[in-house]
Amino acid sequence: MNYFVYKGVCSSDMGLRIEKKEVFSAPKYDVEFLSIPGRSGELIAGGGRFPNTQITYSVFLPAKSIAELSQKITAVKGWLYSGLDSYHELSDTYDTEFTRAAVYAGKLDIEDEMNRIGIFTISFSCKPFRYAVAGAKSQLVGNGQNLTNPYSFPSQPIIRVVGSGKGTLTIQSESSNATWEFTDIDEFVEIDSEQMNCYKNTEPKNDTVGGNGFPILYPGENTFSFTGGIQGISVTPRWCSI
């Protein structure tokens, strides 16, 4: 039996049964095209973006009576309609190697669903990328060691830099060669490239880290090297794909 897990709660535990899902859906690349008089074809204007994508499950909620169905739908609504101001992890049995960052973005008409005997849809607005389960695991990376991004899209990792005092971290790939300088490492500093933030636990450390932007792991090999007071690093790569 197929199911999905949202905010750590399994759909089957809520009594839901999935009838179908658009398994291989992908977002449309949002880019502007410019037409120039006298020139064939169109120019691509600047860098585009991937908008959110909709993931929709057609579900059935079995019940022996209208009263029982109403009670179950109330519980489902409490689950789906809470936490609408942030993304949550969404996974399912259709795509076991990836998860998504999702937030509920649908509508439940209880009266209409009662008349249809518990058949309805659940829609999530998801960030465009699917995140590899394997990429959510932290791994130690030695000086001069490579991490290979197996997908076609850059990822935004979390990097923990362990050491003391000053040091530099360099990540080199076919697409980039970037260095970050650390001026005051106190045991460790974490860099979250997706959140664009440097910290130690709850203490901000952005003023102790300098460099061009935040670390990106490009497709293919990414070589890590570090100097000075840096004793080691660990990386949660957050591999992603469409």
Side-chain angles (χ1 to χ4, degrees):
M1 180 179 68
N2 288 311
Y3 59 84
F4 66 86
V5 178
Y6 177 61
K7 295 193 294 186
V9 177
C10 183
S11 60
S12 61
D13 291 340
M14 301 298 294
L16 296 171
R17 303 293 183 265
I18 299 177
E19 293 189 323
K20 67 176 180 178
K21 173 204 172 186
E22 293 182 6
V23 180
F24 299 109
S25 59
K28 178 183 178 181
Y29 188 58
D30 186 7
V31 67
E32 183 181 359
F33 293 93
L34 298 180
S35 298
I36 298 179
R39 180 169 179 171
S40 298
E42 295 181 317
L43 296 180
I44 299 176
R49 59 181 288 275
F50 287 107
N52 273 17
T53 186
Q54 291 291 121
I55 300 297
T56 300
Y57 300 91
S58 297
V59 301
F60 173 67
L61 186 58
K64 296 179 180 179
S65 66
I66 294 296
E68 182 185 351
L69 180 60
S70 177
Q71 184 179 20
K72 287 185 175 182
I73 288 180
T74 298
V76 169
K77 288 179 65 177
W79 168 44
L80 296 176
Y81 278 88
S82 62
L84 297 182
D85 58 348
S86 60
Y87 288 96
H88 308 278
E89 185 174 288
L90 173 68
S91 61
D92 62 37
T93 52
Y94 294 92
D95 193 13
T96 57
E97 294 185 1
F98 291 87
T99 65
R100 288 187 180 272
V103 64
Y104 178 67
K107 177 184 177 182
L108 290 178
D109 190 328
I110 297 177
E111 183 179 355
D112 182 59
E113 305 312 335
M114 285 182 179
N115 293 334
R116 293 172 62 189
I117 319 176
I119 298 174
F120 54 101
T121 60
I122 294 178
S123 295
F124 296 98
S125 179
C126 302
K127 290 185 179 182
F129 290 101
R130 299 147 59 226
Y131 297 94
V133 173
K137 300 175 182 177
S138 176
Q139 51 189 297
L140 295 175
V141 180
N143 203 348
Q145 185 176 342
N146 297 329
L147 272 187
T148 300
N149 183 346
Y151 300 102
S152 301
F153 300 91
S155 72
Q156 299 173 301
I158 297 176
I159 299 177
R160 172 175 282 213
V161 177
V162 178
S164 61
K166 299 180 179 180
T168 63
L169 168 65
T170 300
I171 304 177
Q172 184 175 6
S173 68
E174 185 176 346
S175 305
S176 174
N177 187 354
T179 297
W180 292 267
E181 298 178 352
F182 299 81
T183 59
D184 184 21
I185 304 172
D186 179 15
E187 295 184 273
F188 69 90
V189 176
E190 287 191 317
I191 306 175
D192 188 325
S193 294
E194 186 175 42
Q195 294 184 4
M196 296 184 178
N197 194 22
C198 302
Y199 52 87
K200 177 188 176 185
N201 297 324
T202 59
E203 181 184 357
K205 287 290 185 179
N206 295 290
D207 60 343
T208 69
V209 182
N212 186 14
F214 288 82
I216 298 293
L217 301 182
Y218 290 93
E221 289 189 348
N222 295 266
T223 303
F224 290 74
S225 58
F226 46 87
T227 63
I230 299 177
Q231 300 169 359
I233 62 171
S234 60
V235 181
T236 304
R238 287 177 170 155
W239 306 133
C240 63
S241 184
I242 290 295

